[in-house]
Amino acid sequence: MSWTMRYFNFVGRWRHKRMSNALVAAAISGLARIASAQTAFYDAPESLLAGAPGTLVRQEPMDGAPLGASTYRVLYRSTGLNRRPVFVSGVVIVPQGAPPPGGRAIVAWAHPTSGTVPRCAPSLAIFLFQQIQGLRSMIARGFVVVATDYPGLGTPGPHPYLVGESEGRAVIDIVRAARSLPRVGGGKDFIVWGHSQGGQAALFAGMMANVYAPELKLLGVAAAAPATDLAKLMSDDINSIGGKNITAMTLWSWHRVYGAAIDNVVDPRAMPAIDRLAQECIEGPFDLIVRQRTGRPLEQYFLMVQDPTKAEPWRSLLEQNSTGVLSPEIPIFLAQGTSDQIIQPAVTQAYMDRLCKAGSKVRMIMLPGIGHGRAAQASTMAAVNWITDRFARKTPPDDCVR
């Protein structure tokens, strides 16, 4: 069971039994202390930045992966904003046994929103292996699974939240880094699989892979409830608690990584709440409860403009970080919950239509009654089976109307 399912089960029990606030606070505090323990592994001198993107800086073993797989926490080189070299951290999970001739197939998992500051790295999360949707099935099928933290999570921040090129390069570069680890075998075939923010990262990786990493072979991109149209995402959700959270995190991050002025769109009375939200991680089942409480002031004071998506430089940045189409030879899998209140089903459908028009072969599954948080979990086996068929070079399914 995924941590998301555990969260919903916990919330149901919590509401039914009316747990005391003190008990909940103690549990939250305990989890936060466990999940936020960083080590010197994530710190490296700038002198070590010299080197090709995707080369390893260091690695260390980790425990807890399913089916006896070997797991490595890795620090590797990538390309950040303005094409500057950056360190990125992540995790590589390798099945037991010798690799096949030509090396193992690699699946790059792109994670959903976990936060905007270094301690929110998924490689530090106590539910890391549960968060990688389909991990057990992929390891059982002999795939190496790699999971980047993205820049600024684990490594010095702030994290360029929802910055597509930065995320996409980090996804590709951990595939490169994994190839030099034991029992991977130097395989070149890979597929990207992501959810929400990770869906955006997966699609951006697909958009740039052929040019950025011509030595690799991208065989497909799978995305559940992907963030594709960021202006639509921000404007559609601005009146919901979740939407305010996402908008606040985006404004906070882009103010720092792009130098975009925030005081022309945000009410100064909202800044203390936004600053607190930016420091909170989504690492386990209790964190969403905390964020709801932290974000309550935004229901009273938040934006000074009716539509921030029309204010510069935000309008141009949102357009820049919205996904485009992929090369038509790269097949695509999309999954979307019909009850998603964050990524509207019509937005994902519109993106599919653009892909179809561009000549892509798209497999699209709609998930009745599924909301945003469960989109990847509910589509896991369909995605893993689709991924398996791509590695087997089977003809990709196509739900486009030609």
Side-chain angles (χ1 to χ4, degrees):
M1 182 184 293
S2 71
W3 80 261
T4 308
M5 291 298 293
R6 288 189 177 97
Y7 164 70
F8 284 114
N9 288 342
F10 166 78
V11 171
R13 293 194 300 271
W14 174 61
R15 287 174 176 167
H16 180 69
K17 296 181 179 179
R18 298 182 181 275
M19 292 174 103
S20 71
N21 290 335
L23 179 58
V24 174
I28 291 169
S29 176
L31 281 179
R33 285 194 298 271
I34 296 171
S36 301
Q38 280 182 274
T39 68
F41 178 88
Y42 294 87
D43 296 324
E46 287 193 8
S47 60
L48 294 181
L49 272 175
T55 53
L56 274 173
V57 176
R58 61 174 69 121
Q59 77 252 19
E60 65 181 16
M62 297 176 65
D63 295 324
L67 304 178
S70 298
T71 305
Y72 305 90
R73 179 180 284 110
V74 295
L75 187 71
Y76 61 96
R77 300 174 180 92
S78 189
T79 308
L81 291 175
N82 301 317
R83 305 198 72 84
R84 295 180 61 184
V86 293
F87 296 121
V88 182
S89 55
V91 172
V92 177
I93 305 156
V94 185
Q96 290 184 326
R104 295 188 186 275
I106 302 173
V107 179
W109 166 252
H111 68 81
T113 299
S114 66
T116 55
V117 293
R119 68 182 184 86
C120 298
S123 64
L124 291 167
I126 57 176
F127 295 122
L128 167 64
F129 299 115
Q130 290 84 356
Q131 289 175 355
I132 301 174
Q133 297 299 321
L135 175 61
R136 178 175 288 271
S137 295
M138 292 187 287
I139 293 298
R141 298 180 193 203
F143 307 151
V144 172
V145 178
V146 300
T148 180
D149 287 330
Y150 309 137
L153 297 175
T155 53
H159 164 50
Y161 179 60
L162 290 177
V163 175
E165 286 192 359
S166 167
E167 296 166 347
R169 293 186 193 116
V171 169
I172 295 169
D173 284 330
I174 197 172
V175 174
R176 287 167 154 166
R179 297 172 67 216
S180 63
L181 290 171
R183 300 204 316 273
V184 176
K188 296 182 179 180
D189 293 348
F190 78 107
I191 287 172
V192 187
W193 160 226
H195 174 209
S196 189
Q197 178 190 5
Q200 178 208 28
L203 292 165
F204 264 88
M207 290 162 57
M208 66 179 68
N210 290 344
V211 173
Y212 185 66
E215 78 279 14
L216 302 177
K217 180 62 176 176
L218 177 63
L219 297 180
V221 174
T228 54
D229 186 335
L230 297 195
K232 192 74 172 168
L233 171 64
M234 188 174 287
S235 60
D236 280 354
D237 301 336
I238 200 66
N239 294 319
S240 69
I241 294 175
K244 284 182 170 63
N245 263 254
I246 292 171
T247 299
M249 293 171 68
T250 304
L251 296 174
W252 188 91
S253 172
W254 290 7
H255 171 56
R256 284 156 177 79
V257 302
Y258 285 121
I262 199 172
D263 54 5
N264 62 345
V265 293
V266 172
D267 188 317
R269 293 171 292 185
M271 284 309 304
I274 293 174
D275 288 336
R276 286 193 296 271
L277 281 171
Q279 300 300 317
E280 294 178 353
C281 305
I282 305 174
E283 297 172 335
F286 297 95
D287 296 313
L288 297 176
I289 299 172
V290 177
R291 292 186 69 84
Q292 282 191 351
R293 183 179 60 198
T294 303
R296 279 185 196 140
L298 301 184
E299 296 178 25
Q300 186 174 8
Y301 306 113
F302 189 20
L303 299 177
M304 296 193 301
V305 295
Q306 186 172 2
D307 187 354
T309 68
K310 292 183 169 61
E312 291 290 0
W314 309 101
R315 185 193 67 80
S316 296
L317 291 173
L318 290 165
E319 181 178 353
Q320 174 183 322
N321 289 294
S322 294
T323 54
V325 297
L326 282 66
S327 297
E329 73 272 12
I330 301 173
I332 299 162
F333 172 98
L334 296 175
Q336 176 64 51
T338 62
S339 298
D340 195 328
Q341 299 299 309
I342 300 296
I343 303 294
Q344 299 291 335
V347 174
T348 302
Q349 181 63 57
Y351 182 65
M352 176 190 175
D353 294 342
R354 290 177 58 203
L355 292 170
C356 292
K357 187 175 181 180
S360 296
K361 292 184 177 180
V362 184
R363 176 73 174 110
M364 171 72 152
I365 64 170
M366 299 301 290
L367 307 166
I370 297 297
H372 187 70
R374 290 188 55 213
Q377 183 268 337
S379 61
T380 291
M381 287 317 301
V384 171
N385 289 336
W386 182 89
I387 288 168
T388 303
D389 288 345
R390 302 292 71 73
F391 285 133
R393 283 357 192 238
K394 294 184 178 180
T395 301
D398 188 8
D399 293 332
C400 295
V401 178
R402 305 296 180 185

